[in-house]
Amino acid sequence: MKILVLGANGFVGKNLVSALENVKNGKDRRFPELIIDEIMTYDIDCDESTLPKYLASADFIFNFAGVNRPKDEREFMAGNCDFLNEVLDTLRKCSNNCPVVLSSSIQASLEGRFAGSAYGFSKKAGEDELIKYSEDTSAKVMIYRFPNIFGKWARPNYNSAVATFCNNIANDLPITVNDENTELELLYIDDLVEEMLLCLMGQEHRVTKFSRFCAVPVTHKVTLGEIVRLLESFKVFPETLMMPSIPHGSFAYKLYSTYLSYLPKDKAIHGYDTKSDSRGSFTEIMKSIDKGQFSVNVSLPLETKGNHWHHSKWEIFLVVSGKALIKMRKISSDETAEYTVSGEKLQAVYMLPGYTHSITNLSDSENLVTLMWANEPFNPDRPDTYFEEV
């Protein structure tokens, strides 16, 4: 299959082309039935003479070319309808009835709050031309009225509030929120791209069974205030180590990935507050209300740490370097358990509630490094930690 992407240098185009290349080169194996022979790309800065050749040989066309921030409103029609007409006329001349995907906008809806805008009018005109083309040629067409799109590589201070907020907050620049209760419908770029791959396999999501209009099934409705609050929580993570809840597939999950893509190089690294004493050191790595706390514990040669127990808190110790003896004893009992573990064979040892426990470095020359996880972040006001020798 030969695929043509129009508007390939734009935000959506770049993401789509990158995904197509991963499929073509066998790096993305989620779609084994999708065979891509060639990816042809075209944008406004390309040699115009190449376009007719691409259109004649294409087996599938994605049209993400368009204008949304012109200096003159007349450019809306030229970029969003006239160019599409040129494409369709060329396809007619070369008798290429391959499928065409059109990137439109929710502003094209005459019932939308942007009804009557020059941008929405030009997008609607493009839709009408494509529908007429489909009726004349029986070519398969798919029209997507996209809401606001966000994700990596979006241009800040252009037409995406999310991109602007992510960029500015990541780079310590001011943001302006006129009304934090304003709600946006947002579409994540990876969800959009996955839908485009489904289009290639004939599995697009149509609004109704025989409609030419399609839609990405997953969008998120959030307020500007919610977006800013999440971004602020992402920004302070290096200081608080508190990771907000980001379930897979959630808006927060997608927003965090977007935010990180705007992080400047000097913020892609941060240090930790390490607590050290004569036995070694202890460093909290990350905390989460619902996922507990990760820490790194370093024990100096022959040193013992721990000798405490918890009512409800429980932990997992994973020695990643060195050799250790982990001991546990049930409180008010002589019942004990001992485990000899090392970084040569990774084994998780559970520190059970109601058992006092300790970890000893068995080496007289090498440090012991242990990755520790607790089911809850340490709370100095309610530590649930009681010292008692094993």
Side-chain angles (χ1 to χ4, degrees):
M1 179 185 292
K2 292 183 179 181
I3 300 169
L4 172 59
V5 181
L6 304 174
N9 292 337
F11 163 44
V12 177
K14 286 181 180 178
N15 279 274
L16 176 58
V17 170
S18 177
L20 291 172
E21 289 176 343
N22 284 337
V23 174
K24 177 178 180 291
N25 298 328
K27 297 177 181 178
D28 186 344
R29 302 180 181 177
R30 294 175 299 159
F31 308 95
E33 66 275 38
L34 184 54
I35 307 300
I36 299 176
D37 301 304
E38 184 178 354
I39 303 166
M40 300 174 289
T41 61
Y42 184 85
D43 213 298
I44 193 169
D45 55 354
C46 293
D47 183 349
E48 292 182 8
S49 66
T50 61
L51 183 56
K53 300 174 186 177
Y54 289 163
L55 291 170
S57 63
D59 297 311
F60 200 104
I61 298 173
F62 292 101
N63 182 22
F64 286 100
V67 174
N68 51 31
R69 279 286 183 98
K71 294 179 180 179
D72 188 327
E73 283 195 350
R74 288 174 293 185
E75 295 178 39
F76 279 130
M77 189 60 69
N80 297 327
C81 184
D82 295 347
F83 174 73
L84 175 61
N85 266 330
E86 293 177 19
V87 168
L88 299 179
D89 286 343
T90 303
L91 290 174
R92 285 188 180 98
K93 290 175 182 177
C94 61
S95 300
N96 185 353
N97 295 341
C98 72
V100 178
V101 169
L102 175 64
S103 169
S104 188
S105 167
I106 56 174
Q107 295 187 36
S109 170
L110 295 179
E111 298 177 356
R113 63 189 180 97
F114 292 100
S117 71
Y119 174 70
F121 182 80
S122 67
K123 283 292 190 181
K124 180 65 167 60
E127 294 177 357
D128 292 342
E129 291 297 333
L130 186 61
I131 291 172
K132 183 176 183 302
Y133 168 78
S134 178
E135 292 172 345
D136 293 343
T137 64
S138 298
K140 179 180 180 180
V141 300
M142 290 149 278
I143 301 171
Y144 284 85
R145 286 178 170 174
F146 293 126
N148 296 280
I149 307 168
F150 73 103
K152 67 183 185 302
W153 305 339
R155 184 173 161 188
N157 303 306
Y158 188 58
N159 64 340
S160 169
V162 174
T164 301
F165 288 170
C166 286
N167 176 75
N168 288 18
I169 290 176
N171 289 277
D172 301 317
L173 299 173
I175 61 171
T176 300
V177 180
N178 295 322
D179 182 0
E180 68 173 21
N181 294 316
T182 298
E183 186 179 71
L184 301 178
E185 181 180 6
L186 297 170
L187 170 59
Y188 186 49
I189 188 63
D190 285 7
D191 293 329
L192 186 159
V193 168
E194 183 162 329
E195 174 71 13
M196 296 303 100
L197 295 178
L198 292 175
C199 282
L200 288 172
M201 297 185 293
Q203 300 174 24
E204 67 277 0
H205 290 87
R206 299 210 173 242
V207 174
T208 58
K209 186 174 181 180
F210 299 107
S211 173
R212 293 181 177 88
F213 288 90
C214 303
V216 181
V218 179
T219 61
H220 304 271
K221 291 185 177 181
V222 291
T223 65
L224 292 177
E226 290 171 325
I227 295 170
V228 172
R229 284 189 287 273
L230 275 171
L231 290 173
E232 293 290 357
S233 71
F234 302 157
K235 180 178 180 178
V236 299
F237 169 75
E239 288 76 43
T240 65
L241 303 183
M242 184 61 71
M243 181 66 68
S245 179
I246 48 173
H248 184 77
S250 67
F251 173 72
Y253 174 94
K254 299 168 185 177
L255 184 65
Y256 207 161
S257 293
T258 304
Y259 167 78
L260 291 175
S261 72
Y262 292 89
L263 209 63
K265 292 179 181 179
D266 62 333
K267 288 189 177 182
I269 181 173
H270 69 83
Y272 287 96
D273 181 18
T274 297
K275 309 296 185 184
S276 301
D277 59 24
S278 60
R279 302 169 301 163
S281 65
F282 182 80
T283 307
E284 295 178 347
I285 301 299
M286 186 178 71
K287 307 174 186 179
S288 170
I289 294 298
D290 55 348
K291 298 296 188 300
Q293 174 177 306
F294 291 90
S295 308
V296 172
N297 184 72
V298 178
S299 301
L300 297 178
L302 303 178
E303 290 291 341
T304 297
K305 288 189 173 185
N307 284 316
H308 60 239
W309 62 282
H310 317 287
H311 278 296
S312 297
K313 182 186 297 185
W314 56 281
E315 301 162 295
I316 296 175
F317 288 3
L318 177 65
V319 170
V320 295
S321 180
K323 188 175 182 180
L325 175 64
I326 296 175
K327 300 168 71 173
M328 286 191 290
R329 177 177 60 81
K330 191 174 183 179
I331 295 302
S332 302
S333 169
D334 293 330
E335 180 184 335
T336 61
E338 295 187 1
Y339 307 90
T340 300
V341 292
S342 76
E344 295 181 358
K345 181 181 180 181
L346 297 183
Q347 294 176 289
V349 183
Y350 290 71
M351 303 300 109
L352 309 178
Y355 282 72
T356 184
H357 49 270
S358 66
I359 181 169
T360 300
N361 185 351
L362 295 179
S363 172
D364 59 4
S365 60
E366 302 292 333
N367 288 347
L368 173 70
V369 181
T370 308
L371 176 64
M372 296 181 172
W373 176 83
N375 67 316
E376 62 184 39
F378 178 73
N379 182 349
D381 296 325
R382 301 187 64 181
D384 188 17
T385 301
Y386 308 95
F387 290 93
E388 183 169 332
E389 293 282 343
V390 176

